[in-house]
Amino acid sequence: MEEDRKCKAPRRWAAALVSIFAFFHLLPFSESSNLSRYREALSKSLLYFEAQRSGHLPYNQRVPWRHHSGLTDGLEQGVDLVGGYYDAGDNVKFGLPMAFTITMLSWSVIQYGEEIAAAGEYRHALEAIKWGTDYFIKAHSQPHVLWVQVGDGDTDHYCWQRPEDMTTSRRAYKIDEDHPGSDVAGETAAAMAAASIVFRRTNPHYSQLLLDHAQQLGMKKKHEEHSQILQEYRFKAEYYICACLNKNNTTNIHRTPGGLIYIRQWNNMQYVSSATFLLMAYSDHLRAANQKLNCHGGVLVGPDDISSFAKSQVDYILGSNPMAISYLVGYGSRYPQRVHHRGASMESYRNNKGFIGCTQGYDNWYGRQESNPNVLVGALVGGPDIKDQFRDGRENYVQTEACTYNTAPLVGVFANLHALEQKNTSHVFDPPLIASS
């Protein structure tokens, strides 16, 4: 009997370990687990760009409440400007924020393409980029002409209309040799140059076309000729990273009591997401080079500390904050319900094809206290104030309006965090070795 108990005890212990391992082995596939949450955020962030599309929507459009819009853009000026993105909650196509959006999406794929592919979102990421670059090719209608805006912000803001119903001015604006605009020209060139790297292997002809356009817009010289300028950029970027980490002497970036980077009241999340990408990408660079960041007074900061802070910003966005709300719309159980967004706040064109006029939208939809009828999944809203407080109101555009350039920098960050969680979890859940009795 005693010998029998001795034999059964190890068996029960082994069986218990196997059961525990099996239980934990299943956790990564739960939608509520840490492993899956960054992947979910990645998927939803890419879905957001489909909600912002202008032009003739494709057959595989995944946001059903949107429809074709802006189909005569550029007609008055004799140029095809159909397509591209609405940058925020209005119906104007601004070239500079659109270009920055495509630059950051492209950089995300260049930096974290394998991680995006492992999460099953590579095709969607490339589609989001190409929707923008197809438009830039049209907008760069001549070697020294770039159309940089369609629509008028002033008249657009007087109307609350779905993009499918637009009656506001669609006047287009351009830059050329007589009307220069180096900022938007440079950013558009950067967007197309970065995208050309993305498509180099999958679509080499398209990649070369993008590079040709980028070079025509001014990016002709090799970077070696600008090494001093690049060094200055690096110095400023490293100084900024140290400021984000509170490692400078006096000039550090403000944080809310909950730990969020805080730059200004209006749409603060645009700065948070861009800084988070920079922090994550630079931490990877330092890790690969086996180096540390040298901050004020010779304080050395390792890559793990930098990436950990970047992760804290993402977790804040996704709900680990004093308001216990996700600022990424459609993620989690609590997120903004009244996003300042014309299309999302009104009955969808699919359900009601009847025309909704300029002031009719304000009268019947803008002031409603109910939640938006359409969820703007993946949109990153402006976010909380300096005291971590947030008021979910459609009229509170400072906090509830979302922009493409808010979400774009997080695409690569979400993918990288998902890959890191998956890697760490696979180590934690390695099956124990059980000695035979």
Side-chain angles (χ1 to χ4, degrees):
M1 179 70 71
E2 182 66 25
E3 184 66 26
D4 185 55
R5 282 198 295 268
K6 288 180 180 178
C7 291
K8 287 182 179 179
R11 290 172 188 162
R12 289 195 295 269
W13 177 76
L17 282 178
V18 171
S19 298
I20 292 171
F21 167 70
F23 171 74
F24 282 110
H25 182 67
L26 293 174
L27 281 181
F29 300 96
S30 167
E31 281 299 313
S32 61
S33 69
N34 283 341
L35 180 61
S36 66
R37 64 172 179 160
Y38 297 120
R39 181 175 182 176
E40 179 188 353
L42 169 63
S43 299
K44 291 183 173 180
S45 66
L46 286 169
L47 189 62
Y48 165 62
F49 295 100
E50 297 190 24
Q52 296 300 110
R53 285 172 170 171
S54 179
H56 194 282
L57 303 187
Y59 73 93
N60 61 346
Q61 169 79 9
R62 296 181 295 161
V63 179
W65 50 270
R66 282 298 324 284
H67 200 63
H68 312 315
S69 63
L71 300 182
T72 61
D73 283 357
L75 181 63
E76 183 180 342
Q77 287 76 26
V79 60
D80 179 7
L81 296 177
V82 176
Y85 288 109
Y86 306 115
D87 77 302
D90 50 24
N91 298 326
V92 182
K93 295 191 297 196
F94 293 105
L96 182 59
M98 194 190 309
F100 179 76
T101 295
I102 300 304
T103 299
M104 294 310 302
L105 287 173
S106 299
W107 192 357
S108 291
V109 172
I110 294 168
Q111 186 86 12
Y112 300 112
E114 291 183 3
E115 291 82 355
I116 294 172
E121 294 293 337
Y122 194 77
R123 178 173 63 86
H124 293 140
L126 263 58
E127 287 175 352
I129 294 169
K130 194 171 185 294
W131 193 268
T133 52
D134 283 351
Y135 175 78
F136 292 147
I137 291 171
K138 293 180 178 182
H140 186 215
S141 57
Q142 298 177 41
H144 301 292
V145 175
L146 179 66
W147 296 88
V148 298
Q149 182 175 322
V150 179
D152 176 69
D154 291 333
T155 58
D156 184 86
H157 290 166
Y158 284 122
C159 288
W160 194 259
Q161 282 182 296
R162 301 176 300 192
E164 295 83 2
D165 295 324
M166 281 187 294
T167 56
T168 51
S169 170
R170 300 306 290 171
R171 179 182 176 184
Y173 301 83
K174 68 179 179 180
I175 59 171
D176 54 28
E177 291 176 305
D178 296 324
H179 308 88
S182 57
D183 49 0
V184 64
E187 189 62 59
T188 306
M192 290 198 281
S196 74
I197 298 174
V198 171
F199 291 104
R200 185 179 292 164
R201 284 191 290 181
T202 60
N203 195 340
H205 174 75
Y206 188 69
S207 171
Q208 186 59 52
L209 178 63
L210 291 172
L211 185 58
D212 291 342
H213 278 279
Q215 290 175 334
Q216 284 185 353
L217 280 173
M219 298 185 65
K220 296 182 179 180
K221 297 183 180 180
K222 295 184 179 297
H223 65 82
E224 288 86 353
E225 300 177 35
H226 303 288
S227 58
Q228 183 177 352
I229 296 176
L230 291 175
Q231 285 298 323
E232 292 178 7
Y233 283 157
R234 176 181 174 179
F235 171 78
K236 292 179 180 179
E238 289 178 342
Y239 187 88
Y240 178 71
I241 292 173
C242 291
C244 289
L245 300 170
N246 283 340
K247 299 298 182 181
N248 284 339
N249 186 18
T250 56
T251 54
N252 289 313
I253 302 298
H254 293 295
R255 298 185 194 175
T256 68
L260 184 72
I261 291 173
Y262 193 85
I263 304 297
R264 70 166 188 171
Q265 182 179 6
W266 194 330
N267 189 21
N268 183 62
M269 281 299 185
Q270 63 180 307
Y271 307 108
V272 177
S273 62
S274 294
T276 299
F277 181 90
L278 176 64
L279 290 160
M280 187 66 73
Y282 198 63
S283 70
D284 290 341
H285 166 74
L286 291 177
R287 192 175 291 109
N290 194 28
Q291 294 180 356
K292 293 185 177 182
L293 176 64
N294 191 345
C295 294
H296 179 80
V299 175
L300 298 178
V301 183
D304 289 346
D305 292 331
I306 299 173
S307 60
S308 177
F309 179 68
K311 181 179 179 295
S312 75
Q313 300 301 292
V314 173
D315 291 342
Y316 186 108
I317 289 171
L318 296 182
S320 297
N321 55 66
M323 295 289 290
I325 184 173
S326 166
Y327 293 108
L328 191 75
V329 179
Y331 179 91
S333 59
R334 294 189 69 234
Y335 53 83
Q337 300 292 315
R338 301 168 190 83
V339 180
H340 182 91
H341 188 276
R342 285 159 173 75
S345 68
M346 306 170 72
E347 189 175 11
S348 71
Y349 186 82
R350 168 176 287 190
N351 293 336
N352 178 12
K353 293 182 173 58
F355 176 76
I356 299 178
C358 176
T359 58
Q360 184 182 356
Y362 271 117
D363 294 340
N364 298 341
W365 295 98
Y366 181 79
R368 286 163 54 98
Q369 295 303 309
E370 292 84 356
S371 300
N372 287 352
N374 308 303
V375 180
L376 193 63
V377 175
L380 179 60
V381 298
D385 63 19
I386 197 169
K387 296 182 179 179
D388 296 301
Q389 298 302 300
F390 177 79
R391 184 172 61 83
D392 186 8
R394 203 169 293 114
E395 78 291 346
N396 184 21
Y397 48 83
V398 169
Q399 293 188 310
T400 64
E401 188 168 22
C403 304
T404 57
Y405 46 89
N406 290 14
T407 298
L410 292 180
V411 168
V413 176
F414 287 146
N416 190 42
L417 287 175
H418 169 66
L420 291 173
E421 287 280 2
Q422 194 172 42
K423 179 181 178 181
N424 293 337
T425 307
S426 67
H427 288 304
V428 171
F429 296 142
D430 281 341
L433 298 176
I434 302 173
S436 59
S437 56

